[in-house]
Amino acid sequence: MTSKTWWKNAVGYQVYPRSFKDSNGDGIGDIRGIIEKLPYLKDLGIDFIWINPIYKSPNVDNGYDISDYESIEPEFGDLNEFKELLQKAHKIGIKVILDLVVNHTSDQHPWFIESKKGKNNPYRDYYLWADASPDKMPNDWKSFSGHSAWTYDKKSGQAYFHVFAAEQPDLNWKNPKVRKAIYKMIRWWLDLEIDGFRMDAISHIQKEPWDFKIKDNPWAPFMNVKGIDKYMSELRDIFNEYSVMTVGEASGVTSRKAINWTDPKRDGYINMIFELEQNVQEGQLGEQRIDPLGFKKVLARWQRDLADGGWNALYVENHDNPRINTVLGNETAQSAKAIAATYMLLCGTPFVYQGQELGMTNYPFTKPEQMDGLNTKKRFEEIIKQGHDPKEAMKIMSHWSRDNARTPMQWSSEINAGFSKGDPWLAINDNYKKINVEKELQDSHSILNFYKKLIALRKNESAFTDGDFELILDNDPNVFAYLRKNSEQEYLVISNLSDGKRTVTLPRKVVQNVWRTKLTNDNTLKISKNMTLQPYAVTVMEKIN
Ligand code: GLC
Ligand code: CA
């Protein structure tokens, strides 16, 4: 592993700063809080952290609407504190990557404030404007909110384009001045010696011509559209000057195309991609689950399609999704452990989202006021109008909500779970007395201690970094099983991702070998031709001889 590819043998940890640790009692997590918890992260065994946006922001979308790229949001601290964090993290061997949000800015960014002033303003073309009238937008494209992707501006008789909220106008990447300014900003951060970027919504920076006709996918006009290669190549050339890692949130880049995005031999743009396909849902609205077979098939396909030189980013949680131990697990330690070993030993760089290592669960929201999402009240009323009672409406609205992942980190059984001495910005889950860092550190069988062992295993055994991946029991609806093998080692991972007992028939190539248990949540598990797995049992085995 050269120093340029350090991330191939690394485990990442995602910090959602607002909910990680509040150091000054205002109820909002901050940079000083992250500094405080560096020893915890070191002890967990991770190699780098990805911090969600900490730039100046009006917080319409919690930091994903940036009004100044080169300053820190005061709620989180200031630039000196960030430099201190960087220096202290580096000192103990933890690298730091930041979110790079360049598809759009805030509508409060000085560029947009200028741009909005009129057609002749020098910043007009920093954004995407087109002629419109109050009842006729330039085209019928929808934003991710499901409403028009355009917002009308009476003064100029034009509308501006946004794939997210109206307060997040899209930048015009065709404009060389925009690209120049963005690249300068990127270098400014890289020169501070940060270790890379998670690139937000990066596959949307190129758009189809406004007269493009949508056939089936409403978001096709801005998902990995032709011409994006020019911008991505320019970005790659900057990243290549520095030894940094890059991971792109790149919806619309299929597993087939992803190899061209991530393989250096193919002039790939970035190191790895967060694919968004793996969350295959089943079940009714308000009680959806992740379908284990769908989950397995998507992940296995990405493993295969990237095998020849690409690279995966592995995750099961982030700040946009519900808690995995609720929607794939059954909120037990057994299921949290089974899920962890299943995804973390695949080929790629694993990310752990804060609290995932404790088995944190979804929050039982009962009132729209408890939620932070955009327009929750309005949505609640809409669902009621459709004929649901308030309880059902809350379930429908909250079950898959990203707020589940955003409730504060549970550090201890003290007040506010040890997150803050003040009033937390989002409610703390009632189960914090059972599920928290302090408690789990003391219990050798805890989820947290399982994660520690798993992270160490993942990093110490080379087959998990560079070994081949081979799926077995391909079509079993509940059991996820695979082999990882390089010239020196062979490992078998087998897990039951359901809450029922399952019996599988293992192939000869597995049964004929002798295996030794390396990590498990069920010590009675043994390899045999017909093997029965208890609910959410998992075992990681090493081949001996
Ligand atoms: C990404 C982020 C999400 C944000 C959006 C707009 O999908 O993960 O949290 O709302 O981009 O920037
Ligand atoms: Ca604070």
Side-chain angles (χ1 to χ4, degrees), residues 61 64 101 104 164 168 198 200-201 249 319-320 402 406:
D61 187 17
Y64 282 97
V101 189
H104 47 271
F164 295 97
Q168 294 165 296
R198 176 266 187 185
D200 183 65
E249 185 201 33
H319 62 294
D320 289 332
R402 55 196 204 173
R406 297 179 178 193

Side-chain angles (χ1 to χ4, degrees), residues 16 18 59-62 365 367-376 401-403 406 425-426:
Y16 192 71
R18 185 166 277 278
N59 281 322
V60 167
D61 187 17
N62 281 355
F365 292 103
K367 297 192 280 275
E369 295 76 29
Q370 293 166 329
M371 298 184 69
D372 174 63
L374 283 173
N375 307 320
T376 25
S401 160
R402 55 196 204 173
D403 288 343
R406 297 179 178 193
W425 75 279
L426 195 64

Side-chain angles (χ1 to χ4, degrees), residues 64 66 69 100-106 111 126-128 144 161-165 168-173 178 182 185 199-207 222-223 228 231 235 249:
Y64 282 97
I66 298 170
Y69 283 110
L100 181 68
V101 189
V102 290
N103 175 70
H104 47 271
T105 68
S106 160
W111 297 340
Y126 270 51
Y127 296 85
L128 300 162
F144 288 117
F161 181 81
H162 48 88
V163 301
F164 295 97
Q168 294 165 296
D170 280 41
L171 285 162
N172 177 12
W173 273 73
V178 167
I182 294 290
M185 176 275 285
M199 303 164 79
D200 183 65
I202 197 66
S203 53
H204 308 319
I205 58 178
Q206 170 75 333
K207 280 81 174 163
F222 40 83
M223 296 267 245
I228 195 171
Y231 314 143
L235 286 164
E249 185 201 33

Side-chain angles (χ1 to χ4, degrees), residues 22 24 26 28 30:
D22 172 24
N24 62 352
D26 65 356
I28 296 171
D30 43 50

Side-chain angles (χ1 to χ4, degrees), residues 447-470:
I447 300 168
L448 178 55
N449 276 313
F450 187 88
Y451 263 88
K452 282 207 217 173
K453 287 181 212 143
L454 177 60
I455 291 169
L457 177 70
R458 152 94 219 185
K459 286 164 45 77
N460 292 339
E461 307 305 328
S462 62
F464 293 124
T465 298
D466 62 18
D468 294 339
F469 163 87
E470 190 192 338

Side-chain angles (χ1 to χ4, degrees), residues 298-544:
V298 170
L299 284 171
R301 167 160 54 78
W302 277 78
Q303 292 283 301
R304 288 188 202 110
D305 286 352
L306 293 188
D308 179 32
W311 196 252
N312 277 289
L314 308 169
Y315 75 99
V316 284
E317 283 187 18
N318 58 32
H319 62 294
D320 289 332
N321 279 293
R323 289 290 183 177
I324 197 72
N325 205 24
T326 298
V327 295
L328 179 56
N330 61 355
E331 302 195 342
T332 60
Q334 284 303 93
S335 61
K337 292 173 187 174
I339 295 164
T342 307
Y343 91 97
M344 222 190 260
L345 299 174
L346 294 168
C347 189
T349 300
F351 288 71
V352 178
Y353 178 72
Q354 67 184 43
Q356 179 194 318
E357 77 277 25
L358 310 175
M360 276 180 67
T361 59
N362 270 9
Y363 184 88
F365 292 103
T366 52
K367 297 192 280 275
E369 295 76 29
Q370 293 166 329
M371 298 184 69
D372 174 63
L374 283 173
N375 307 320
T376 25
K377 264 224 135 116
K378 214 172 118 197
R379 270 203 58 214
F380 180 69
E381 278 148 24
E382 277 166 17
I383 301 174
I384 298 233
K385 265 196 210 128
Q386 288 161 13
H388 297 279
D389 66 40
K391 212 170 147 201
E392 273 169 14
M394 266 325 284
K395 252 174 83 181
I396 291 174
M397 206 165 78
S398 65
H399 179 67
W400 213 270
S401 160
R402 55 196 204 173
D403 288 343
N404 289 300
R406 297 179 178 193
T407 66
M409 177 75 176
Q410 295 167 201
W411 292 105
S412 70
S413 29
E414 280 162 49
I415 185 153
N416 294 330
F419 162 70
S420 170
K421 295 217 158 61
D423 212 2
W425 75 279
L426 195 64
I428 295 194
N429 200 310
D430 270 346
N431 62 19
Y432 77 89
K433 292 217 162 114
K434 259 184 22 220
I435 300 177
N436 68 60
V437 170
E438 195 182 43
K439 201 159 173 223
E440 293 195 28
L441 280 175
Q442 285 158 13
D443 170 6
S444 62
H445 296 292
S446 66
I447 300 168
L448 178 55
N449 276 313
F450 187 88
Y451 263 88
K452 282 207 217 173
K453 287 181 212 143
L454 177 60
I455 291 169
L457 177 70
R458 152 94 219 185
K459 286 164 45 77
N460 292 339
E461 307 305 328
S462 62
F464 293 124
T465 298
D466 62 18
D468 294 339
F469 163 87
E470 190 192 338
L471 188 69
I472 56 172
L473 310 175
D474 294 31
N475 293 313
D476 188 290
N478 302 293
V479 175
F480 197 147
Y482 57 91
L483 297 161
R484 296 293 314 273
K485 181 176 174 184
N486 65 10
S487 56
E488 282 144 36
Q489 308 175 316
E490 182 166 352
Y491 282 91
L492 167 69
V493 179
I494 173 160
S495 79
N496 174 5
L497 293 182
S498 76
D499 64 1
K501 231 194 216 179
R502 306 289 168 193
T503 300
V504 293
T505 305
L506 290 172
R508 238 182 75 116
K509 66 175 168 240
V510 170
V511 185
Q512 75 192 4
N513 294 318
V514 184
W515 300 89
R516 168 171 61 204
T517 307
K518 289 294 274 192
L519 187 64
T520 184
N521 63 4
D522 177 357
N523 276 313
T524 65
L525 268 180
K526 282 198 187 63
I527 297 297
S528 61
K529 185 161 185 282
N530 294 310
M531 185 179 175
T532 298
L533 295 121
Q534 295 300 319
Y536 291 107
V538 67
T539 184
V540 182
M541 301 254 176
E542 182 187 17
K543 187 175 139 189
I544 43 178

